[in-house]
Amino acid sequence: MTSRTRLLLALVSCAAALLAGLLHLLAPPPSGYSAIFAPPWATPAAAAVALVGLVLGARHPRAGVLLGWAGVVLLFWGSGGLALEGFRAFFAVTGIPAGEFADVDVPGMVTRACSALAAVTTVLTTADTARAARSLAAPAPRWPRYLALAMCVPYPSLKLYWWLGGTVGRPEGSTEGVPWMEVALFAAGALVVLGLTGPRASGRLRPLLLAAGWLGSTAALTMGALMVFGTLGQLLGLSDGPVDLRAGAITALVAMTYGSWLAVGVALLAATLQAQDAPRTRRRARRAAVGAA
């Protein structure tokens, strides 16, 4: 896929997110489970910022990159909770009994899906703009590998602590089973990061690793955005938010633990972009070496 094609996809995706967000503003105010998500104006505002960045990128790369990344952050805020909402849609479509968990805010889900798609396509185009602004390829930083591996620990550790009988921060009345799914998901995430930042990123597993990186980073970012930006929005009075602020420091600690999803998503996204760009980086480095000789 060429840079021009990625730019076109990003423009179309952001325009769709802008339209979906504006239509969502006409719907009744969010209620029920969707009340803790980003306010309806978040997605159209984010899409507008991203569109300006995409248009400016060709003539003013620095401004385009700055606005592009700002738009990405806001778009992921607008998509917050989409991964969780996917489970609701699954139960709603299949008819498997799940009580209130089968209820879906369809207009909100469409808006959040458009926001996530716009975020991913804007990431690709903004990365292209940032890359073009660099004259030589710099060595790939190692922080995505170490940050992702470190942030894969807090969430499953919290679940294991609750399963073993810990009560600090555990929702009242909840019973915790063995957290097989949580441990498996974050273990798989760690393996994907190791693959993306190791020699296998250029081997036969490259397509599978890139697909897993994009899927995993998008899911982690939407869940992390729900917790981190949702809590900030709650503190600022913008939305109901996902935590009970009356519980004090314990709730803040649990919120930070759940917020590790956001850090995992950022690191996994950075590792995926590095792996995707690795062949081009090697070619540029070889050309630079030949030119210097």
Side-chain angles (χ1 to χ4, degrees):
M1 186 185 299
T2 65
S3 297
R4 187 181 295 272
T5 303
R6 285 195 287 266
L7 174 59
L8 179 61
L9 286 175
L11 289 171
V12 172
S13 299
C14 287
L18 177 62
L19 177 61
L22 291 175
L23 292 176
H24 191 203
L25 288 173
L26 302 177
S31 59
Y33 78 89
S34 60
I36 69 172
F37 291 175
W41 55 261
T43 292
V49 171
L51 280 170
V52 173
L54 293 170
V55 172
L56 282 179
R59 294 189 176 183
H60 306 281
R62 290 187 178 181
V65 169
L66 178 62
L67 289 174
W69 289 129
V72 166
V73 172
L74 295 173
L75 283 167
F76 274 119
W77 177 33
S79 69
L82 179 62
L84 180 63
E85 212 160 29
F87 289 102
R88 288 180 170 271
F90 170 79
F91 288 114
V93 171
T94 60
I96 298 175
E100 294 182 357
F101 201 70
D103 296 335
V104 180
D105 172 18
V106 176
M109 184 177 179
V110 170
T111 301
R112 286 182 276 277
C114 289
S115 189
L117 179 60
V120 170
T121 54
T122 303
V123 164
L124 288 170
T125 302
T126 304
D128 284 342
T129 304
R131 190 183 305 117
R134 298 195 299 266
S135 57
L136 294 176
R142 303 294 290 173
W143 67 262
R145 181 188 185 101
Y146 301 131
L147 177 62
L149 292 177
M151 289 297 101
C152 280
V153 175
Y155 181 76
S157 296
L158 178 66
K159 289 290 188 175
L160 283 169
Y161 166 72
W162 284 346
W163 170 61
L164 292 172
T167 57
V168 176
R170 188 173 67 183
E172 186 176 352
S174 68
T175 56
E176 294 289 331
V178 182
W180 296 114
M181 183 65 71
E182 291 85 349
V183 173
L185 281 175
F186 278 84
L191 290 175
V192 170
V193 170
L194 290 173
L196 289 169
T197 56
R200 294 187 181 276
S202 57
R204 294 182 178 179
L205 292 179
R206 173 181 167 80
L208 181 61
L209 287 171
L210 288 175
W214 280 112
L215 180 62
S217 61
T218 302
L221 283 167
T222 59
M223 289 301 297
L226 173 62
M227 179 57 66
V228 175
F229 294 128
T231 303
L232 290 175
Q234 187 176 2
L235 290 170
L236 296 173
L238 300 176
S239 63
D240 288 349
V243 300
D244 182 6
L245 296 177
R246 295 170 298 179
I250 296 300
T251 297
L253 177 63
V254 174
M256 290 175 60
T257 303
Y258 277 79
S260 63
W261 284 81
L262 187 64
V264 170
V266 170
L268 187 53
L269 178 60
T272 304
L273 288 172
Q274 286 180 11
Q276 182 169 294
D277 193 44
R280 192 182 319 183
T281 300
R282 286 194 295 270
R283 288 195 298 268
R284 293 180 66 182
R286 283 196 296 266
R287 287 197 297 266
V290 171

